[in-house]
Amino acid sequence: MQKIIENLTAQKQRHIDELFEFLRIPSISDLEEYKDDCKKAALWLMNNIKTAGFDNARLYETAGHPIVYAEWLNAGNDKPTVLVYGHYDVQPVDPLGLWYSEPFEPVIKDGKMWGRGTSDDKGQLFMHVKALEEIMKVDGKLPVNVKIIIEGEEEAGSSHLDEFIENNAELLSCDYVLISDTDWVDVGLPSICYSLRGLTFAEVKITGPNSDLHSGSYGGSLDNPANVLCSMIAKMRDEYGRVTIPGFYDDVLDLDADERAGFARIPFSEEEYCKLLGIKATNGEFGYTSIERSWARPTLDINGMTSGFQGKGSKTIIPAWASAKISMRLVPYQDSDDIAKKVEEYLKKLAPPTVTVEVEILHGGNPVMVKRDGKGIQAASQALKNVFNMEPIFMREGGSIPVVGVFQSVLKADSILLGMGVPGNNIHAPNENYPLENFYEGIKVSAHFFYELAK
Amino acid sequence: MQKIIENLTAQKQRHIDELFEFLRIPSISDLEEYKDDCKKAALWLMNNIKTAGFDNARLYETAGHPIVYAEWLNAGNDKPTVLVYGHYDVQPVDPLGLWYSEPFEPVIKDGKMWGRGTSDDKGQLFMHVKALEEIMKVDGKLPVNVKIIIEGEEEAGSSHLDEFIENNAELLSCDYVLISDTDWVDVGLPSICYSLRGLTFAEVKITGPNSDLHSGSYGGSLDNPANVLCSMIAKMRDEYGRVTIPGFYDDVLDLDADERAGFARIPFSEEEYCKLLGIKATNGEFGYTSIERSWARPTLDINGMTSGFQGKGSKTIIPAWASAKISMRLVPYQDSDDIAKKVEEYLKKLAPPTVTVEVEILHGGNPVMVKRDGKGIQAASQALKNVFNMEPIFMREGGSIPVVGVFQSVLKADSILLGMGVPGNNIHAPNENYPLENFYEGIKVSAHFFYELAK
């Protein structure tokens, strides 16, 4: 290991030079005019991975942008197989005027590299490629079997990756998926994410009269769909911030004492948080902290609401209908389909007999939980400890990473979320950046991880 | 009176001919390209009124369309003064393809006259002009003092009439205002309207975070403005359909036993009503019938609601803000300004301390109540009885006629709503019509009214 670390240090400049070459390709997946650049980025990466010593490096064409694949499977059957996942595509760069330097001409300044893709996700996925390359150079082999899959549509509306995974389950079969596409809880606090929330997204529409009615002539004699909808939504949570859908909490895994103690140690200022969001105070489910509420408790939020006259001024109508988009964030081991059924039933029960209620489930995804005492997470934890000389933070994420759910359901493989980004990296915004230290140390963490896992 | 009625019968054809000439002028007030036609209609009407024997017939120019004015004040100081109000402007005629005959080429068919303005309001205001003309011809004088004011902007967005009334209170001073611009409760049921509901129209905006937030990263840790708004609105009415704003019912005049008995005798089918509106069932304040709820009880209705993502599909945000337009129909003797103050206070009290609440009062108007035993109403009632040989129905209206409130507040004069329209007249729609009988008999009712009032 000593040798590898020495080698990595010696190669720092080359690693950065190569990454910058990669970053200069404007592989914006969601804009048609960058289609060729996406292909170019895929080819460049495939060649770089091939040069690193991988076998079967190739592009798989999809209806969208190609998927880069490669493998090295000579560690033996007794060694685990790790699937490294990442994406070579990047977000658009508008508004261009807010960038301090060219988005596709990366620069180094103030200890960070600046440019589109530095953090999300070219910079992070490249750490693993370089770690694996140096291990092969020094050892002539890898301590575990490794497959690499890098997609080009993570930032585009509709990815073809799910379909590819389903159709190529054997090719991709593995014991662990390694993903570096998330953030530490804060700068200087190496973190491992072991749980993501899931989602059930519904739309409800309440219809009353067959057209908007004059509120003078008819007001008072019939139920108003907008008032009805408000009453229904108000009933979906109680005064303790708990969701009232029957059976909603049946499968919720309670936070254990260890987790709560761990979260409590994370530096977190309610005051700073409120200032950041521009709110007067936090509020949520009774008995939980803000971190627990946003990482580990299920929610029910209105995402949008529409009814009647929305222009300037007054129009005295009783609207014919009212609708709301209602989404629930789910936690392990709630099931998205089960919650969809329950919310639909509940909305139909809440609607009075005077109106028509329609419920549509628009979207869903299951929550993810990787056991903290599992071998993969423990190897990642040890790798971080080896490099940073401190206990990493075990964190959760309030959002979802849909592909993690697909890896779980199709490949039956846990994902290790070993992200090295930090808050302030401005992903999806102008002036995206990534600390140089996190890149260099991240390569070491990656190398340590593969060795730890092989132990 | 016998002589007058004989004369009216003899002049039927001329009355229709003159009205049709008036109807052929396309005086659409809300469309710029008909500005000259509005002026033409005003001039035509002024001349017709002058020919009828009125003094001081003239046009008052406004920033919009002119106001027609005339007077005959020789009945003596011991006789009451009646201000006849109407409007010579009409609604647009789109969609033209749905008309069975030309909107501005009136025709007679199936016992009705068809064309724009036949019912709203040229046909109705003209009844009074012709009645007064024949009285003058036969008697050489009128039994009461009469002023006529016919505006040209009733169907346009912003009328200049209120300002004109306020600036000319002495010119318009009177004991009663006579208005024929409303409907009977049904065909064959002569009706007098003695009360209109008022209005307070508010907009409330709830603001939470300083921008839309990712519902995954933040959901659960802060109050969602859309959920908050729904909870607030839900609390504004109780489970008996009563408005919960403190003091809301303080000034509400209870329905008296006579009124309720009268309303109960009006032919009304819940089944037909539901079919007409396309609803499954009526619903409203506990303890009242549908007629009572829409005519004589105050309401609280959402007229529009806006928050967050309203497009197709799903967007997982916590909206930064949510807003609703909330209007209350008021009944005698609620005061629009008083209710505005109360609703604003209540909304501010209902809003939790985690959000910002803004309330704007957009519009208001006081309810109207004319005493059923007053001399004006009794004269109108007797006039209907004389012509139709049956007791008229004393009805209320759920909507507002703003000018009635202005006449009340500025001129301190009660309005007699002696409308002769019927449901099915298609005002504001294609194929507007007016029963010939209501026109001819309406002229007689008008003549009787002036004599009854003079008694």
Side-chain angles (χ1 to χ4, degrees):
Chain A
M1 197 67 208
Q2 185 56 28
K3 184 83 201 299
I4 291 166
I5 300 299
E6 275 168 27
N7 237 46
L8 285 174
T9 306
Q11 298 296 324
K12 275 170 89 165
Q13 191 57 47
R14 184 178 57 85
H15 293 163
I16 277 284
D17 290 345
E18 286 182 20
L19 174 59
F20 277 22
E21 221 181 289
F22 188 25
L23 289 169
R24 283 190 197 103
I25 308 170
S27 48
I28 302 172
S29 54
D30 209 24
L31 299 176
E32 187 57 28
E33 58 265 43
Y34 293 94
K35 198 171 163 51
D36 289 348
D37 292 301
C38 289
K39 181 72 175 273
K40 199 174 148 191
L43 275 168
W44 185 96
L45 183 62
M46 184 195 73
N47 286 321
N48 193 282
I49 291 171
K50 196 188 284 179
T51 307
F54 276 79
D55 303 322
N56 290 323
R58 69 181 69 175
L59 298 191
Y60 283 95
E61 293 298 333
T62 71
H65 304 300
I67 290 166
V68 179
Y69 177 83
E71 61 188 26
W72 188 94
L73 304 175
N74 308 317
N77 283 341
D78 58 330
K79 295 293 179 189
T81 300
V82 175
L83 177 67
V84 176
Y85 162 85
H87 63 91
Y88 65 79
D89 63 321
V90 298
Q91 278 276 317
V93 294
D94 293 323
L96 202 55
L98 297 184
W99 286 80
Y100 296 125
S101 59
E102 292 296 318
F104 294 110
E105 192 43 72
V107 296
I108 290 172
K109 205 186 152 201
D110 301 333
K112 297 173 181 186
M113 56 178 99
W114 301 78
R116 181 55 93 223
T118 47
S119 170
D120 180 20
D121 179 45
K122 287 174 175 169
Q124 293 207 54
L125 77 86
F126 206 58
M127 300 183 311
H128 301 302
V129 178
K130 294 302 103 177
L132 292 162
E133 179 181 36
E134 296 303 334
I135 295 173
M136 289 224 230
K137 268 198 228 157
V138 173
D139 274 5
K141 64 182 174 68
L142 300 179
V144 297
N145 301 302
V146 175
K147 299 175 177 180
I148 297 181
I149 180 173
I150 311 292
E151 70 157 319
E153 297 181 282
E154 206 267 351
E155 309 290 5
S158 71
S159 164
H160 299 89
L161 183 68
D162 292 6
E163 196 188 333
F164 182 80
I165 296 170
E166 273 158 31
N167 293 339
N168 295 278
E170 205 173 331
L171 176 78
L172 303 174
S173 69
C174 60
D175 300 294
Y176 302 98
V177 181
L178 179 65
I179 306 179
S180 292
D181 194 18
T182 50
D183 284 356
W184 289 353
V185 73
D186 210 343
V187 178
L189 296 175
S191 315
I192 299 173
C193 180
Y194 65 95
S195 181
L196 303 167
R197 291 200 289 192
L199 181 72
T200 296
F201 198 108
E203 181 156 358
V204 56
K205 184 177 179 184
I206 300 296
T207 305
N210 48 22
S211 70
D212 291 350
L213 297 178
H214 191 286
S215 73
S217 305
Y218 300 102
S221 72
L222 75 157
D223 279 338
N224 177 320
N227 289 72
V228 164
L229 181 64
C230 288
S231 294
M232 289 170 62
I233 289 169
K235 285 180 190 146
M236 296 183 88
R237 293 202 308 201
D238 68 16
E239 64 268 49
Y240 293 91
R242 294 174 302 201
V243 177
T244 56
I245 299 168
F248 187 75
Y249 292 96
D250 282 359
D251 301 317
V252 167
L253 179 69
D254 282 335
L255 279 152
D256 67 37
D258 257 15
E259 280 179 290
R260 301 193 78 168
F263 293 172
R265 280 194 298 270
I266 295 172
F268 177 85
S269 153
E270 283 277 324
E271 202 185 320
E272 288 294 318
Y273 189 72
C274 289
K275 219 167 113 183
L276 177 75
L277 305 186
I279 57 176
K280 296 184 187 174
T282 62
N283 192 33
E285 190 182 356
F286 180 83
Y288 295 93
T289 66
S290 290
I291 286 183
E292 291 167 346
R293 286 166 176 168
S294 55
W295 283 357
R297 297 299 299 172
T299 67
L300 184 147
D301 269 305
I302 302 303
N303 310 101
M305 221 161 44
T306 306
S307 186
F309 180 65
Q310 300 187 59
K312 259 199 176 314
S314 55
K315 192 174 173 192
T316 49
I317 54 163
I318 295 172
W321 57 270
S323 72
K325 295 180 192 279
I326 305 178
S327 72
M328 287 130 288
R329 290 284 163 179
L330 310 180
V331 299
Y333 294 104
Q334 286 178 301
D335 178 82
S336 179
D337 292 337
D338 175 60
I339 295 297
K341 226 171 60 189
K342 285 172 175 166
V343 72
E344 184 168 351
E345 270 169 29
Y346 191 49
L347 283 166
K348 287 183 174 170
K349 204 182 103 186
L350 285 177
T354 50
V355 299
T356 303
V357 56
E358 292 161 275
V359 181
E360 197 184 346
I361 304 299
L362 295 176
H363 195 52
N366 282 330
V368 166
M369 169 66 90
V370 179
K371 287 222 159 49
R372 282 164 290 155
D373 57 4
K375 204 167 168 195
I377 288 265
Q378 285 303 319
S381 170
Q382 191 57 51
L384 284 169
K385 235 184 289 184
N386 294 348
V387 174
F388 293 103
N389 207 19
M390 63 193 285
E391 288 290 336
I393 284 175
F394 281 86
M395 66 180 288
R396 291 185 175 204
E397 250 287 325
S400 311
I401 305 180
V403 74
V404 170
V406 179
F407 287 137
Q408 189 106 51
S409 65
V410 179
L411 306 183
K412 315 289 174 214
D414 277 351
S415 292
I416 315 299
L417 297 171
L418 193 57
M420 303 277 294
V422 292
N425 278 168
N426 299 334
I427 63 167
H428 297 209
N431 303 310
E432 183 175 340
N433 65 84
Y434 190 43
L436 281 174
E437 189 197 355
N438 288 40
F439 177 67
Y440 294 133
E441 301 303 291
I443 298 175
K444 294 180 195 164
V445 169
S446 177
H448 277 285
F449 169 76
F450 293 111
Y451 279 100
E452 291 294 335
L453 193 65
K455 274 185 187 166
Chain B
M1 197 68 208
Q2 184 57 27
K3 185 77 202 303
I4 292 166
I5 300 298
E6 274 168 28
N7 235 48
L8 286 174
T9 307
Q11 299 295 325
K12 278 170 87 163
Q13 190 57 46
R14 183 177 59 84
H15 294 163
I16 277 285
D17 289 347
E18 285 182 20
L19 174 59
F20 277 23
E21 222 181 287
F22 188 25
L23 289 169
R24 284 190 196 101
I25 308 170
S27 48
I28 302 171
S29 55
D30 210 24
L31 300 176
E32 187 57 28
E33 59 264 44
Y34 292 93
K35 197 170 163 52
D36 289 348
D37 291 301
C38 289
K39 182 71 174 273
K40 200 174 148 192
L43 275 170
W44 185 95
L45 182 62
M46 184 196 74
N47 286 321
N48 194 281
I49 291 171
K50 194 188 287 181
T51 308
F54 275 79
D55 304 323
N56 291 323
R58 69 182 67 175
L59 297 192
Y60 283 95
E61 293 299 332
T62 72
H65 304 300
I67 290 166
V68 179
Y69 176 83
E71 62 188 24
W72 189 93
L73 303 174
N74 308 318
N77 283 340
D78 59 328
K79 295 294 179 188
T81 300
V82 176
L83 178 67
V84 176
Y85 163 84
H87 62 92
Y88 65 79
D89 63 321
V90 298
Q91 279 275 318
V93 295
D94 292 323
L96 203 55
L98 297 184
W99 287 78
Y100 296 125
S101 58
E102 291 296 318
F104 293 110
E105 192 44 71
V107 295
I108 289 171
K109 205 186 151 200
D110 302 331
K112 298 174 178 183
M113 55 178 100
W114 301 79
R116 179 57 90 223
T118 48
S119 170
D120 180 18
D121 181 47
K122 287 174 175 169
Q124 293 207 54
L125 76 87
F126 207 59
M127 300 184 311
H128 301 303
V129 178
K130 294 301 104 177
L132 292 162
E133 179 180 36
E134 296 304 333
I135 295 174
M136 290 227 229
K137 267 198 227 159
V138 172
D139 273 5
K141 64 182 176 65
L142 299 178
V144 296
N145 300 301
V146 175
K147 297 175 177 179
I148 298 181
I149 181 171
I150 311 291
E151 70 157 318
E153 297 181 283
E154 206 266 351
E155 309 289 8
S158 70
S159 165
H160 299 89
L161 183 68
D162 293 7
E163 196 187 334
F164 181 80
I165 295 171
E166 273 158 31
N167 292 339
N168 295 278
E170 204 173 332
L171 176 77
L172 302 174
S173 69
C174 60
D175 301 293
Y176 302 98
V177 182
L178 179 63
I179 306 179
S180 291
D181 195 20
T182 51
D183 285 355
W184 289 355
V185 72
D186 210 344
V187 178
L189 296 175
S191 314
I192 300 173
C193 180
Y194 64 94
S195 181
L196 303 166
R197 291 199 289 192
L199 181 73
T200 295
F201 198 109
E203 181 155 359
V204 57
K205 183 177 179 184
I206 300 296
T207 305
N210 49 20
S211 69
D212 292 349
L213 297 177
H214 191 286
S215 73
S217 305
Y218 300 102
S221 72
L222 75 157
D223 278 338
N224 176 321
N227 290 71
V228 164
L229 181 64
C230 287
S231 294
M232 289 170 63
I233 290 170
K235 284 179 191 148
M236 297 183 88
R237 294 202 309 197
D238 68 15
E239 64 268 48
Y240 293 92
R242 293 174 305 200
V243 177
T244 56
I245 300 168
F248 187 75
Y249 292 96
D250 281 359
D251 300 317
V252 167
L253 178 69
D254 283 334
L255 279 153
D256 66 38
D258 257 16
E259 280 179 292
R260 303 193 77 168
F263 293 171
R265 280 193 299 269
I266 296 171
F268 178 83
S269 154
E270 283 279 323
E271 201 184 321
E272 288 295 318
Y273 189 74
C274 289
K275 219 167 111 182
L276 176 75
L277 305 186
I279 56 176
K280 296 183 186 174
T282 62
N283 193 33
E285 190 183 356
F286 180 82
Y288 294 93
T289 67
S290 290
I291 286 183
E292 290 168 348
R293 286 167 175 167
S294 55
W295 283 358
R297 297 298 301 172
T299 67
L300 185 146
D301 270 304
I302 303 304
N303 310 101
M305 222 160 45
T306 306
S307 186
F309 180 64
Q310 301 187 60
K312 258 194 178 313
S314 55
K315 191 175 175 192
T316 48
I317 53 162
I318 294 173
W321 58 270
S323 72
K325 295 179 192 279
I326 305 178
S327 72
M328 287 130 287
R329 291 284 164 178
L330 310 180
V331 300
Y333 293 102
Q334 287 177 299
D335 178 82
S336 179
D337 292 336
D338 174 61
I339 295 297
K341 226 171 60 189
K342 285 172 175 166
V343 72
E344 185 168 350
E345 271 169 28
Y346 191 48
L347 283 166
K348 287 182 175 171
K349 204 183 104 186
L350 286 177
T354 50
V355 298
T356 302
V357 56
E358 292 163 275
V359 181
E360 196 184 347
I361 304 298
L362 294 176
H363 194 55
N366 281 329
V368 167
M369 169 66 89
V370 179
K371 287 222 159 52
R372 281 165 292 155
D373 57 4
K375 206 170 167 190
I377 288 265
Q378 285 302 318
S381 169
Q382 190 59 49
L384 284 168
K385 233 185 289 185
N386 294 348
V387 173
F388 293 103
N389 207 20
M390 64 192 286
E391 287 290 336
I393 285 175
F394 281 87
M395 66 180 288
R396 291 185 174 205
E397 251 285 326
S400 311
I401 305 180
V403 74
V404 170
V406 179
F407 288 137
Q408 189 107 51
S409 66
V410 179
L411 307 183
K412 315 290 174 212
D414 278 350
S415 292
I416 315 299
L417 299 169
L418 192 58
M420 303 278 292
V422 291
N425 277 168
N426 299 333
I427 63 168
H428 296 210
N431 304 310
E432 182 175 341
N433 63 84
Y434 189 42
L436 281 175
E437 189 197 357
N438 287 41
F439 177 66
Y440 295 133
E441 302 303 292
I443 299 176
K444 293 178 194 166
V445 169
S446 177
H448 276 286
F449 169 76
F450 292 110
Y451 279 100
E452 290 294 335
L453 193 65
K455 274 183 185 170

